[in-house]
Amino acid sequence: MVRSASLCACLFLLIILSCHSQLLPRLSFPMGSPGRSLTVFTSPDVYNTTTLLLSNDEETLFIGARDAILSIDVSQIDSMTFKEKLDWSPSEKDLVDCSMKGKMQTVCHNFVRVLQVLNGTHLYACGTFAFSPRCIYINSVTLTLATGPSGKPEEGRGRCPYDPYQKNTAITVDGELYTGTVADYRGTRPVISRHLSEGSHVDLKLDDTLGWLEDPTFISSTFVHSEEKVYFFFSEIGKEYDFIDKFTVSRVAQVCTSDVGGQRTLQKRWTTFAKAQLLCQAGQELPYNVLQDIVRVDPPEGASDDETLFYGIFTSQWRVNLGRSAVCAFSLKDIKRVFTGRYKVLNRDTLKWSTRVQEQMANPGECGLHNASDNTLRFVKDNFLTDKSVPPVNQRLTMVSPDASYSNIAAQRVEGANGKLYTVLFLLTDSGFLHKAVLLDKGVHIVEEIQMFHRPQAVKNLLLSVAKAVVLVGSSEGVLSLPVANCSHYGSCADCVLARDPFCGWNSLRRVCIRVTRSEKQLAQDVDEGNVSEQCIIVNPRARPGPSSEVVSVSLNEVVHLKCPEASHLAKRHWERLNSQLSPKIYIQSDNSSLSFVATPSTLGHYLCLAVENGYSQTLVVYHVKQKSNPTILPAPPSRPNITPTTETGNKTDISTPVQSESKPKQVNVYATVAHKDSPAATTWKSRNFTRWFGFEEDKSQMTEPGGNLNQADKGTYLKELVVVSILLALCVSALLTIAFNRFRHVCTNQTVPQTPSSRRDLEKGGSATPQERESLKGHSPRLEKRNGQASNGVSHNGQSHNGKSAVNLSNSMLNVSNGHLPNTPI
Ligand SMILES: *[C@@H]1O[C@H](CO)[C@@H](O)[C@H](O)[C@H]1NC(C)=O
Ligand SMILES: *[C@@H]1O[C@H](CO)[C@@H](O)[C@H](O)[C@H]1NC(C)=O
Ligand SMILES: *[C@@H]1O[C@H](CO)[C@@H](O)[C@H](O)[C@H]1NC(C)=O
Ligand SMILES: *[C@@H]1O[C@H](CO)[C@@H](O)[C@H](O)[C@H]1NC(C)=O
Ligand SMILES: *[C@@H]1O[C@H](CO)[C@@H](O)[C@H](O)[C@H]1NC(C)=O
Ligand SMILES: *[C@@H]1O[C@H](CO)[C@@H](O)[C@H](O)[C@H]1NC(C)=O
Ligand SMILES: *[C@@H]1O[C@H](CO)[C@@H](O)[C@H](O)[C@H]1NC(C)=O
Ligand SMILES: *[C@@H]1O[C@H](CO)[C@@H](O)[C@H](O)[C@H]1NC(C)=O
């Protein structure tokens, strides 16, 4: 009874959980899985290997670490070998100064935070240098210190943060260094600046008096050659949203590389600085407003530069979206359009922003203003925030993470076997997994997740080497390298096609799943649909060699549990018998697909567990449930007063009173794990376990009759109990199922329909949304909506995973709530 009650409880739980099913990675590789092995670079005296730089030929990886810069050879895909090391530590005096300033010893080091290729022979590096930033030139071949034009180490202020936990960005263009960082010890003076300029090209920075940046967190920067502009990506306080206190917005800012500052006005200051909001928002939902990382994907060969895309990871400042993040794509075309459009103007007296009313003196954000009049430059100085925001491509979120928050992103366009281009995103989760996702017309497919770290990492870096086809990850645990795919993990055509990995295809001649290359295109692959029957030559599935059956010996009236291995998180598993139906009255299939039933003469026989994925069905495991000889049914003979129960570990405990076990059903657990790489024919048994809960030790001498007949009397007692147990079980199951389904419907309804109380509660719990904020959101929801430039139904069929989307609906229901209409209130 206890057992069946707990079974019911489990069933109930699983039913509730099942409506949470989300965008799942198809396969999971925990740390150390042989199918996705990592190459690790660590060195006992090297710490915090977090700043990564690939050489142009992608053969050498430069690593900015703690008090050191290293180069390692990454020309071989499966090895990382140490090449050179440059020690770059603060002196004793620097360390003393650092502690005098009240800093902990752990941060009084030199954390290298800027590492850039300067020219063909030299690198440029900046480090926090015990809270006194410094920069150096490095010979990139010998990895030795080189003298720069000034002949001595340069001060790193404005190039590198003081605090190693402060984020910054830097990029070199034509030997000049463009940086976004804080330029003071306290971290309160943010600046975007240019350094290492020569001749008439002077070093430039932002005019700080204006508040051109509002407490920014710098994320990334990139140079777009066709525009001759450097773009900076960051998040900051959106002062234009004066109705919300400390509303974070994400931004893209631009400067022209040709900028040399003004002649009187804006002398040695940017004349081309402009910034715009990046909006990662779907319809009226709360925006994912905090940029975490962003990566550029160049257009396909022959396409215009306007097709350049930027894929960003965003999280939300509101607790309702805690633990989730969204990916949004922005096109260069949209960014350019916003920067050439209208600008907002700041009223210096009220510090309020408004859409421009004054006469337009110039086009802010335009390159080549250096000879402009003072009037023009003053105008430019006041007009640097665009009126419009940059909308995401197709006005929708590219994806919302499953229950993970992403911190780093890398992306690549991959040519599939059919010549079609797919975008593959590599996303690092906060918990230390790497998700590989492919963007499809129908939504996102997460091919696999691979565990990269034991412990979550505060500072980490993700880099993709397209030439070497590896993903590189820098963290304080070392540098990791992972091939973008391991096609040989898929052992059959069906496996290879079901993976829907654009990197992999099935070669039917050699019968291997291999990497798609330009020379190897005649491969079976279907990234969009994963349709096995179209791609693979499938003999009648029933006739395919299946796994040989595993014999399970049971006694009558035992509860039998049969486990089914998981082929993929996306496969639906079910059980079949060879020649009869599985009646739900007798069989319980839990959501993880284990099958439970009471052994009776009619339930003995063969059981198959099948997995169905994308309409393709394969047998994962076959059991043959057989009755074993009946040693336990005889009453204990008086001559043997000590009955010894046994556990699976084999230790025996003497007890003096015999356990009355006949009345309780026995239990047999069969644990079977099948590595999912294997084709059914190659199924292997990793472990096998039999647990007896209430069993007597079987006397070997009584087991001499294989398949011995049941004693008639015992059959009678068992039958009575069986009937009672079955009835109770059935009652319990039906009662709980009724409750469960009601609950299930309720929960699922809550999932998809915005509901006031719960989201309100979430908000209040969130704490970060103040009552004022909520009021503001209510009052201004039409404005948010309008700015998005889309009717609310513009995103309701956005091709995202259905479940992923409904989760967003739930969490973002605030704005719907604001109009006082409760969609799920019966009228
Ligand atoms: C399947 O679910 C049952 C009940 O929830 C649980 O006892 C069992 O351990 C699960 N099996 C596997 C392989 O996860
Ligand atoms: C790829 O997968 C196969 C099969 O699981 C495994 O033997 C091999 O080591 C894997 N290779 C890599 C580089 O992970
Ligand atoms: C450096 O690494 C240690 C662990 O080795 C970690 O605790 C610390 O946060 C890291 N510091 C930085 C600035 O990354
Ligand atoms: C690269 O820059 C360094 C430092 O300014 C300079 O000494 C060196 O000559 C430059 N090399 C080339 C090839 O321009
Ligand atoms: C801008 O000024 C520079 C010198 O300051 C001059 O050489 C150049 O011709 C001027 N350009 C224009 C377009 O007036
Ligand atoms: C796979 O392709 C076949 C033939 O084109 C089609 O009949 C079948 O419906 C497809 N299956 C799925 C799951 O799309
Ligand atoms: C059997 O032995 C193991 C360790 O040897 C012990 O942990 C376990 O409790 C024992 N079981 C019984 C039933 O005594
Ligand atoms: C059988 O199960 C026990 C406890 O559940 C476990 O300690 C033992 O390692 C298992 N044996 C096998 C072969 O998996």
Side-chain angles (χ1 to χ4, degrees):
M1 253 334 283
V2 174
R3 187 64 196 161
S4 36
S6 72
L7 260 174
C8 295
C10 286
L11 199 71
F12 170 76
L13 233 160
L14 283 164
I15 286 172
I16 290 177
L17 288 177
S18 64
C19 68
H20 278 268
S21 68
Q22 283 174 327
L23 183 59
L24 279 177
R26 184 173 177 272
L27 298 182
S28 284
F29 296 92
M31 200 84 173
S33 301
R36 280 311 246 137
S37 48
L38 298 168
T39 307
V40 184
F41 174 83
T42 51
S43 178
D45 55 343
V46 178
Y47 308 92
N48 300 90
T49 47
T50 47
T51 305
L52 304 182
L53 170 72
L54 264 177
S55 65
N56 290 338
D57 59 6
E58 303 193 6
E59 307 254 298
T60 305
L61 179 68
F62 298 103
I63 304 171
R66 192 178 97 183
D67 300 329
I69 292 166
L70 293 89
S71 62
I72 56 179
D73 183 346
V74 289
S75 57
Q76 301 304 310
I77 194 164
D78 52 358
S79 74
M80 287 195 279
T81 47
F82 174 84
K83 276 168 81 172
E84 307 286 346
K85 180 180 170 191
L86 169 67
D87 283 305
W88 185 25
S89 312
S91 68
E92 281 299 321
K93 186 183 167 295
D94 297 317
L95 293 179
V96 169
D97 286 353
C98 184
S99 346
M100 295 271 283
K101 291 177 197 161
K103 293 295 169 189
M104 302 277 288
Q105 218 181 346
T106 51
V107 289
C108 284
H109 284 283
N110 183 25
F111 293 92
V112 177
R113 298 304 300 277
V114 174
L115 190 56
Q116 289 287 313
V117 173
L118 191 64
N119 58 30
T121 55
H122 285 72
L123 304 179
Y124 191 73
C126 303
T128 59
F129 216 76
F131 274 80
S132 167
R134 226 47 87 69
C135 297
I136 51 171
Y137 293 83
I138 301 164
N139 180 317
S140 48
V141 177
T142 58
L143 213 69
T144 50
L145 268 181
T147 44
S150 69
K152 53 180 195 289
E154 300 184 348
E155 213 216 323
R157 197 148 84 98
R159 308 175 190 196
C160 175
Y162 288 64
D163 182 335
Y165 288 103
Q166 214 127 38
K167 291 190 174 180
N168 67 306
T169 180
I171 185 171
T172 47
V173 179
D174 294 335
E176 291 176 302
L177 182 75
Y178 293 78
T179 61
T181 185
V182 285
D184 67 333
Y185 174 79
R186 296 206 345 263
T188 52
R189 275 192 48 218
V191 64
I192 284 177
S193 48
R194 183 172 73 196
H195 308 268
L196 313 182
S197 307
E198 282 171 351
S200 64
H201 241 219
V202 289
D203 284 359
L204 293 176
K205 60 181 181 182
L206 273 188
D207 203 308
D208 6 85
T209 55
L210 277 162
W212 284 9
L213 297 169
E214 301 284 355
D215 196 9
T217 302
F218 292 104
I219 302 296
S220 173
S221 47
T222 188
F223 172 60
V224 176
H225 197 271
S226 58
E227 296 290 299
E228 302 209 313
K229 283 177 182 173
V230 173
Y231 291 97
F232 290 89
F233 297 92
F234 56 96
S235 61
E236 66 173 352
I237 304 299
K239 283 283 167 71
E240 70 268 34
Y241 294 89
D242 54 357
F243 59 90
I244 303 179
D245 197 29
K246 296 243 169 171
F247 177 54
T248 304
V249 294
S250 294
R251 302 272 196 214
V252 54
Q254 63 139 56
V255 294
C256 296
T257 51
S258 61
D259 200 341
V260 292
Q263 275 161 358
R264 282 172 301 272
T265 306
L266 292 178
Q267 220 179 43
K268 294 199 174 177
R269 300 288 187 271
W270 298 110
T271 62
T272 55
F273 175 83
K275 67 182 183 183
Q277 185 180 352
L278 289 174
L279 204 57
C280 185
Q281 182 182 30
Q284 295 182 38
E285 293 166 356
L286 274 177
Y288 284 88
N289 54 331
V290 188
L291 182 65
Q292 300 294 331
D293 195 13
I294 192 161
V295 69
R296 165 174 161 181
V297 178
D298 285 330
E301 247 170 77
S304 146
D305 266 0
D306 282 1
E307 312 274 303
T308 303
L309 292 179
F310 299 93
Y311 285 93
I313 304 171
F314 295 79
T315 53
S316 167
Q317 110 183 62
W318 289 285
R319 193 66 70 90
V320 282
N321 282 333
L322 194 73
R324 251 194 305 261
S325 34
V327 176
C328 278
F330 303 92
S331 72
L332 181 60
K333 186 162 86 196
D334 287 338
I335 293 175
K336 280 166 64 178
R337 188 168 44 79
V338 168
F339 277 128
T340 50
R342 288 150 65 88
Y343 280 72
K344 290 185 200 297
V345 66
L346 179 64
N347 182 325
R348 295 281 180 81
D349 302 323
T350 60
L351 290 179
K352 289 215 185 304
W353 288 91
S354 57
T355 302
R356 189 171 52 216
V357 281
Q358 59 191 121
E359 187 198 349
Q360 178 157 359
M361 307 281 300
N363 295 319
E366 199 177 49
C367 297
L369 281 181
H370 32 277
N371 288 6
S373 69
D374 286 346
N375 262 351
T376 305
L377 289 180
R378 266 198 297 275
F379 181 84
V380 166
K381 201 171 154 177
D382 284 349
N383 291 264
F384 53 86
L385 176 60
T386 63
D387 190 37
K388 291 261 184 320
S389 309
V390 183
V393 168
N394 298 330
Q395 312 282 338
R396 67 180 202 206
L397 313 181
T398 300
M399 72 183 279
V400 174
S401 64
D403 51 6
S405 190
Y406 293 136
S407 58
N408 298 74
I409 185 171
Q412 183 187 356
R413 272 189 227 268
V414 183
E415 195 174 333
N418 56 4
K420 189 173 159 187
L421 285 172
Y422 296 95
T423 302
V424 175
L425 305 181
F426 295 91
L427 299 148
L428 206 51
T429 71
D430 275 343
S431 53
F433 280 84
L434 185 74
H435 285 186
K436 180 167 96 186
V438 53
L439 307 183
L440 306 171
D441 297 337
K442 285 184 174 173
V444 177
H445 169 62
I446 303 183
V447 178
E448 54 187 353
E449 63 171 4
I450 301 120
Q451 190 178 6
M452 307 295 281
F453 307 122
H454 291 289
R455 278 171 289 131
Q457 297 287 311
V459 183
K460 49 194 178 294
N461 212 325
L462 178 65
L463 205 62
L464 180 68
S465 166
V466 173
K468 297 290 171 210
V470 293
V471 176
L472 298 161
V473 179
S475 77
S476 56
E477 282 185 8
V479 181
L480 306 166
S481 154
L482 175 81
V484 293
N486 179 10
C487 300
S488 57
H489 182 73
Y490 305 109
S492 67
C493 181
D495 263 355
C496 190
V497 170
L498 285 175
R500 300 164 69 195
D501 187 333
F503 290 105
C504 299
W506 181 258
N507 181 321
S508 49
L509 291 178
R510 288 163 52 205
R511 302 197 53 74
V512 282
C513 188
I514 53 170
R515 192 71 66 82
V516 178
T517 59
R518 275 178 196 273
S519 57
E520 189 93 54
K521 282 274 180 66
Q522 290 302 331
L523 299 174
Q525 185 196 60
D526 183 2
V527 181
D528 289 286
E529 306 286 342
N531 190 328
V532 174
S533 55
E534 226 170 39
Q535 296 292 327
C536 304
I537 304 143
I538 301 292
V539 283
N540 172 11
R542 300 274 170 212
R544 269 177 297 133
S548 55
S549 68
E550 174 74 1
V551 174
V552 180
S553 298
V554 298
S555 298
L556 289 188
N557 291 349
E558 278 182 358
V559 176
V560 182
H561 297 286
L562 301 178
K563 307 246 168 179
C564 186
E566 190 170 39
S568 113
H569 295 324
L570 303 185
K572 288 240 180 324
R573 289 168 288 172
H574 70 272
W575 289 87
E576 285 183 6
R577 293 196 67 178
L578 280 185
N579 36 30
S580 60
Q581 293 280 316
L582 293 191
S583 155
K585 290 186 192 134
I586 303 173
Y587 297 96
I588 298 176
Q589 293 184 45
S590 67
D591 209 57
N592 63 8
S593 296
S594 59
L595 183 73
S596 309
F597 58 92
V598 177
T600 65
S602 65
T603 57
L604 298 178
H606 282 88
Y607 290 85
L608 285 73
C609 181
L610 288 95
V612 182
E613 185 173 355
N614 266 341
Y616 174 74
S617 158
Q618 60 182 324
T619 306
L620 298 174
V621 58
V622 179
Y623 291 107
H624 185 193
V625 179
K626 268 177 33 184
Q627 187 189 349
K628 69 165 166 251
S629 52
N630 54 340
T632 60
I633 47 175
L634 294 175
S639 57
R640 293 170 66 242
N642 286 355
I643 306 293
T644 318
T646 169
T647 65
E648 70 280 7
T649 45
N651 43 2
K652 296 174 185 180
T653 321
D654 280 349
I655 50 166
S656 44
T657 34
V659 178
Q660 294 303 310
S661 73
E662 287 91 338
S663 61
K664 303 193 175 166
K666 289 184 168 187
Q667 161 167 326
V668 174
N669 276 350
V670 179
Y671 297 84
T673 330
V674 178
H676 31 233
K677 76 176 178 77
D678 295 313
S679 60
T683 298
T684 53
W685 297 96
K686 288 274 164 61
S687 71
R688 191 183 152 190
N689 215 328
F690 294 82
T691 316
R692 265 171 223 98
W693 280 27
F694 305 106
F696 290 108
E697 182 195 26
E698 273 115 31
D699 191 338
K700 298 281 188 302
S701 64
Q702 292 183 329
M703 294 175 73
T704 44
E705 283 176 280
N709 289 327
L710 266 182
N711 175 313
Q712 204 53 45
D714 287 306
K715 212 180 205 168
T717 41
Y718 270 97
L719 209 64
K720 219 165 70 193
E721 276 148 21
L722 173 69
V723 169
V724 172
V725 166
S726 308
I727 289 172
L728 285 175
L729 191 77
L731 278 175
C732 166
V733 167
S734 50
L736 273 160
L737 272 183
T738 317
I739 299 170
F741 270 110
N742 281 335
R743 175 88 187 119
F744 173 67
R745 253 182 30 208
H746 188 64
V747 170
C748 285
T749 311
N750 289 357
Q751 281 290 299
T752 45
V753 182
Q755 208 203 23
T756 335
S758 68
S759 41
R760 278 261 167 79
R761 214 179 321 114
D762 269 343
L763 256 181
E764 266 142 30
K765 262 194 309 200
S768 49
T770 60
Q772 174 203 355
E773 219 167 85
R774 252 175 283 130
E775 283 310 308
S776 322
L777 275 169
K778 281 183 193 179
H780 291 263
S781 60
R783 194 166 143 194
L784 283 172
E785 178 190 4
K786 216 162 65 204
R787 182 158 352 89
N788 201 19
Q790 263 302 81
S792 60
N793 63 355
V795 288
S796 51
H797 299 290
N798 60 2
Q800 291 278 319
S801 147
H802 200 74
N803 296 308
K805 191 166 76 75
S806 51
V808 174
N809 279 350
L810 165 78
S811 51
N812 286 341
S813 57
M814 255 177 61
L815 295 175
N816 285 346
V817 170
S818 66
N819 56 17
H821 173 65
L822 304 181
N824 60 340
T825 312
I827 298 159

Short mmCIF file of all heavy atoms in Angstrom, two decimals, residues 48 111 164-165 459 476, ligand 3:
data_model
loop_
_atom_site.label_atom_id
_atom_site.label_comp_id
_atom_site.label_asym_id
_atom_site.label_seq_id
_atom_site.Cartn_x
_atom_site.Cartn_y
_atom_site.Cartn_z
N ASN A 48 43.46 32.50 -12.73
CA ASN A 48 42.52 33.42 -13.36
C ASN A 48 42.83 33.64 -14.84
O ASN A 48 43.07 34.76 -15.29
CB ASN A 48 42.51 34.77 -12.62
CG ASN A 48 42.10 34.61 -11.17
OD1 ASN A 48 42.94 34.42 -10.29
ND2 ASN A 48 40.81 34.71 -10.92
N PHE A 111 45.63 41.76 -12.68
CA PHE A 111 44.72 40.98 -13.50
C PHE A 111 44.71 41.60 -14.89
O PHE A 111 44.33 42.76 -15.05
CB PHE A 111 43.31 40.98 -12.91
CG PHE A 111 43.22 40.24 -11.60
CD1 PHE A 111 43.38 40.92 -10.40
CD2 PHE A 111 42.99 38.88 -11.57
CE1 PHE A 111 43.30 40.24 -9.19
CE2 PHE A 111 42.92 38.20 -10.37
CZ PHE A 111 43.08 38.87 -9.17
N PRO A 164 39.41 44.40 -10.54
CA PRO A 164 39.36 43.30 -11.50
C PRO A 164 37.95 42.75 -11.73
O PRO A 164 37.73 42.01 -12.69
CB PRO A 164 40.23 42.22 -10.85
CG PRO A 164 40.30 42.57 -9.42
CD PRO A 164 40.18 44.06 -9.35
N TYR A 165 37.01 43.10 -10.87
CA TYR A 165 35.64 42.61 -11.09
C TYR A 165 34.81 43.59 -11.91
O TYR A 165 33.65 43.33 -12.20
CB TYR A 165 34.96 42.32 -9.75
CG TYR A 165 35.54 41.08 -9.10
CD1 TYR A 165 36.43 41.20 -8.04
CD2 TYR A 165 35.23 39.82 -9.58
CE1 TYR A 165 36.98 40.07 -7.47
CE2 TYR A 165 35.77 38.69 -9.01
CZ TYR A 165 36.65 38.81 -7.96
OH TYR A 165 37.19 37.69 -7.40
N VAL A 459 34.04 35.12 -13.23
CA VAL A 459 34.59 35.76 -14.42
C VAL A 459 34.95 34.68 -15.42
O VAL A 459 35.67 33.74 -15.09
CB VAL A 459 35.86 36.59 -14.07
CG1 VAL A 459 36.38 37.31 -15.30
CG2 VAL A 459 35.55 37.58 -12.96
N SER A 476 38.67 30.83 -14.06
CA SER A 476 39.71 30.72 -13.05
C SER A 476 40.12 29.27 -12.83
O SER A 476 41.10 28.99 -12.17
CB SER A 476 39.25 31.37 -11.74
OG SER A 476 38.07 30.80 -11.30
C1 LIG B 3 40.53 34.45 -9.47
O1 LIG B 3 40.37 33.06 -9.22
C2 LIG B 3 39.84 32.74 -7.94
C3 LIG B 3 39.75 31.25 -7.83
O2 LIG B 3 40.92 30.67 -8.28
C4 LIG B 3 38.46 33.36 -7.80
O3 LIG B 3 37.96 33.12 -6.51
C5 LIG B 3 38.55 34.86 -8.02
O4 LIG B 3 37.24 35.38 -7.99
C6 LIG B 3 39.18 35.16 -9.37
N1 LIG B 3 39.36 36.59 -9.50
C7 LIG B 3 39.06 37.25 -10.62
C8 LIG B 3 39.27 38.72 -10.61
O5 LIG B 3 38.66 36.70 -11.61
#
